[in-house]
Coordinates of all heavy atoms in Angstrom, one line a residue:
V294 N -71.8 12.4 -106.6 CA -72.1 13.5 -107.6 C -70.8 13.8 -108.5 O -70.9 14.0 -109.7 CB -72.5 14.9 -106.9 CG1 -72.5 16.0 -107.8 CG2 -73.9 14.6 -106.2
P295 N -69.5 13.9 -107.9 CA -68.4 14.0 -108.7 C -68.2 12.9 -109.7 O -67.6 13.1 -110.8 CB -67.3 14.0 -107.7 CG -67.8 14.6 -106.4 CD -69.2 14.0 -106.4
A296 N -68.7 11.7 -109.4 CA -68.6 10.6 -110.4 C -69.4 10.9 -111.7 O -68.9 10.4 -112.7 CB -69.1 9.3 -109.7
T297 N -70.4 11.7 -111.6 CA -71.2 12.0 -112.8 C -70.2 12.8 -113.7 O -70.3 12.7 -115.0 CB -72.4 12.8 -112.4 OG1 -72.0 14.1 -112.0 CG2 -73.2 12.2 -111.5
L298 N -69.5 13.7 -113.1 CA -68.5 14.5 -114.0 C -67.5 13.6 -114.8 O -67.1 13.8 -115.9 CB -67.8 15.5 -113.1 CG -68.7 16.5 -112.4 CD1 -67.9 17.4 -111.5 CD2 -69.6 17.3 -113.3
I299 N -67.1 12.6 -114.0 CA -66.0 11.6 -114.6 C -66.6 10.9 -115.7 O -66.1 10.7 -116.8 CB -65.5 10.8 -113.5 CG1 -64.8 11.5 -112.5 CG2 -64.6 9.7 -114.1 CD1 -64.3 10.8 -111.2
A300 N -67.9 10.3 -115.4 CA -68.4 9.5 -116.5 C -68.9 10.3 -117.7 O -68.8 9.8 -118.8 CB -69.8 8.8 -115.9
T301 N -69.4 11.6 -117.5 CA -69.7 12.5 -118.6 C -68.5 12.9 -119.4 O -68.5 12.9 -120.6 CB -70.5 13.7 -118.0 OG1 -71.6 13.3 -117.3 CG2 -70.9 14.6 -119.2
R302 N -67.4 13.2 -118.7 CA -66.2 13.6 -119.4 C -65.5 12.6 -120.2 O -65.1 12.8 -121.3 CB -65.3 14.3 -118.4 CG -63.9 14.7 -118.9 CD -64.1 15.9 -119.9 NE -62.8 16.4 -120.4 CZ -62.1 15.8 -121.4 NH1 -62.7 14.6 -122.1 NH2 -60.9 16.2 -121.8
F303 N -65.4 11.4 -119.6 CA -64.5 10.4 -120.1 C -65.3 9.2 -120.8 O -64.7 8.4 -121.4 CB -63.5 9.9 -119.1 CG -62.6 10.9 -118.6 CD1 -62.8 11.5 -117.4 CD2 -61.6 11.3 -119.3 CE1 -61.9 12.4 -116.9 CE2 -60.7 12.3 -118.9 CZ -60.8 12.8 -117.6
G304 N -66.6 9.1 -120.5 CA -67.3 7.9 -121.0 C -67.3 6.8 -119.9 O -66.5 6.7 -119.0
E305 N -68.2 5.8 -120.1 CA -68.4 4.8 -119.1 C -67.2 3.8 -119.0 O -66.7 3.4 -118.0 CB -69.6 4.0 -119.3 CG -70.9 4.7 -119.1 CD -71.5 5.4 -120.3 OE1 -70.7 5.6 -121.3 OE2 -72.7 5.8 -120.3
R306 N -66.7 3.5 -120.2 CA -65.6 2.5 -120.3 C -64.4 3.0 -119.6 O -63.8 2.3 -118.6 CB -65.3 2.1 -121.7 CG -64.0 1.1 -121.8 CD -63.9 0.7 -123.2 NE -63.5 1.8 -124.1 CZ -62.1 2.0 -124.3 NH1 -61.2 1.2 -123.8 NH2 -61.6 2.9 -125.1
K307 N -63.9 4.2 -119.8 CA -62.7 4.8 -119.1 C -63.0 5.0 -117.6 O -62.1 4.8 -116.8 CB -62.3 6.1 -119.8 CG -61.7 5.8 -121.3 CD -61.3 7.2 -121.9 CE -60.8 6.9 -123.3 NZ -60.5 8.2 -123.9
A308 N -64.3 5.3 -117.3 CA -64.7 5.5 -115.9 C -64.5 4.2 -115.2 O -64.0 4.2 -114.0 CB -66.0 6.1 -115.7
L309 N -64.9 3.1 -115.8 CA -64.9 1.8 -115.2 C -63.4 1.5 -114.9 O -63.0 0.9 -113.8 CB -65.5 0.7 -116.1 CG -67.0 0.8 -116.0 CD1 -67.6 -0.3 -117.1 CD2 -67.6 0.3 -114.7
V310 N -62.5 1.6 -116.0 CA -61.1 1.3 -115.8 C -60.5 2.1 -114.8 O -59.7 1.6 -113.9 CB -60.4 1.6 -117.2 CG1 -59.0 1.3 -117.0 CG2 -61.0 0.6 -118.2
G311 N -60.7 3.4 -114.8 CA -60.1 4.3 -113.7 C -60.5 4.0 -112.4 O -59.7 4.0 -111.4
A312 N -61.8 3.7 -112.1 CA -62.3 3.3 -110.9 C -61.7 2.0 -110.4 O -61.3 1.9 -109.1 CB -63.8 3.2 -110.8
A313 N -61.6 1.0 -111.2 CA -61.0 -0.3 -110.7 C -59.4 -0.1 -110.5 O -59.0 -0.7 -109.5 CB -61.1 -1.3 -111.9
L314 N -58.7 0.8 -111.2 CA -57.3 1.0 -110.9 C -57.2 1.8 -109.5 O -56.3 1.6 -108.9 CB -56.7 1.7 -112.1 CG -56.5 0.9 -113.4 CD1 -55.9 1.8 -114.4 CD2 -55.6 -0.3 -113.1
W315 N -58.1 2.7 -109.3 CA -58.1 3.5 -108.1 C -58.4 2.6 -106.9 O -57.7 2.7 -105.8 CB -59.2 4.7 -108.2 CG -59.2 5.5 -107.0 CD1 -60.0 5.6 -106.0 CD2 -58.3 6.6 -106.7 NE1 -59.8 6.6 -105.1 CE2 -58.7 7.2 -105.5 CE3 -57.2 7.1 -107.5 CZ2 -58.0 8.3 -105.0 CZ3 -56.5 8.2 -106.8 CH2 -56.9 8.8 -105.7
C316 N -59.2 1.6 -107.1 CA -59.6 0.6 -106.1 C -58.3 -0.3 -105.8 O -57.9 -0.6 -104.6 CB -60.6 -0.3 -106.4 SG -61.2 -1.4 -105.1
A317 N -57.6 -0.6 -106.9 CA -56.4 -1.4 -106.7 C -55.3 -0.6 -105.9 O -54.6 -1.1 -105.0 CB -55.8 -1.8 -108.1
A318 N -55.3 0.6 -106.3 CA -54.3 1.5 -105.5 C -54.7 1.6 -104.1 O -53.7 1.5 -103.2 CB -54.2 2.9 -106.1

Side-chain angles (χ1 to χ4, degrees):
V294 173
T297 68
L298 303 177
I299 296 173
T301 302
R302 174 67 178 82
F303 299 104
E305 291 93 342
R306 180 173 69 94
K307 291 180 181 178
L309 286 169
V310 173
L314 292 176
W315 185 257
C316 185

